[in-house]
Amino acid sequence: MLLAESTWPEVEAYLASSRTVVIPVGSTEQHGPMGLIGTDAMCADAIARRAGELGGFLVGPVLPVGMAQSHLGFPGTLSLAPTTLIAVIRDVVSSLYRHGFTDIWFVNGHGGNIATIQAAFAEIHAARSSRQEEPALQLTLASWFDLPGIRALLREMYPAGHGSHATPSEVAITQFLYPHAVKSATLEPRIAPAGGFSDAADFRRRYPDGRIGADSSLARPEDGERLLEAAAAALCNIVKCK
Ligand SMILES: [Zn+2]
């Protein structure tokens, strides 16, 4: 059930039997020469929607812009400051909580969002604790690539060249979802260098084409479909079986 395609009476009826809602959160940032700028939002949105179909729970609209400061050296990247993203998460949670949602999941597609979303949860819980607010509020962060079984599947599918940014897995999911937007590029070197970085300028210096440790050209749409289904099933399982 999609929030955007529901009416308020339908949401009210849903709340009579469930307090669970899933909000996808992504990023709008460069993903190397062949990965789409919307990759993280597209992956999180599709996995959440598919899991919602499987499990019959409510899925909200994707939050498409995340904390992508380190990608700002590349044109097209949009970034929220950590404090802005914290405020967005807090306001989304307080809107949902007002209606009675007490089991709120954020399905994330961008590693760079993790620390900020966790900080948002800490801020929300801290404010509620000081007011001794009831009933209890359960906030859960689930990055799709960290869902149960997914890391093992990624190792099996990509024994070399998966890397950590502009990965063939995320590119494959977008190829499956958006076949009209599949891009190709000559990748040099084939597997990008791996390592850390500090700010946006340092990122661009170390990773001139935007990839980290990844060979994006390993992406295949049929593998994207398999990954999407596996991640959605894993998400459905933890949301329903929690
Ligand atoms: Zn990504």
Side-chain angles (χ1 to χ4, degrees), residues 29 31 39-40 109-110 165-166 170:
E29 65 183 45
H31 272 77
T39 296
D40 294 344
H110 172 47
H165 188 66
E170 59 185 351

Side-chain angles (χ1 to χ4, degrees), residues 113-213:
N113 284 341
I114 293 173
T116 303
I117 294 174
Q118 285 171 336
F121 290 178
E123 288 280 0
I124 293 163
H125 288 313
R128 285 172 45 80
S129 299
S130 66
R131 295 192 299 262
Q132 298 186 315
E133 226 171 76
E134 294 286 346
L137 172 64
Q138 183 74 40
L139 299 173
T140 312
L141 171 62
S143 296
W144 74 261
F145 36 81
D146 285 329
L147 286 164
I150 299 300
R151 292 273 181 196
L153 180 60
L154 294 176
R155 279 193 297 274
E156 176 203 313
M157 291 175 74
Y158 308 103
H162 185 263
S164 59
H165 188 66
T167 63
S169 59
E170 59 185 351
V171 173
I173 293 172
T174 64
Q175 288 179 338
F176 170 67
L177 293 168
Y178 298 85
H180 61 279
V182 172
K183 308 294 166 75
S184 60
T186 305
L187 302 179
E188 185 54 46
R190 183 82 181 263
I191 297 180
F197 52 85
S198 58
D199 64 1
D202 184 54
F203 186 112
R204 177 124 195 191
R205 219 170 9 251
R206 289 172 189 253
Y207 312 107
D209 77 358
R211 297 172 297 141
I212 303 180

Side-chain angles (χ1 to χ4, degrees), residues 1-17 58 101:
M1 180 176 169
L2 297 176
L3 185 64
E5 296 181 11
S6 304
T7 62
W8 75 259
E10 288 173 320
V11 177
E12 193 167 76
Y14 173 89
L15 277 161
S17 62
L58 185 64
F101 291 99

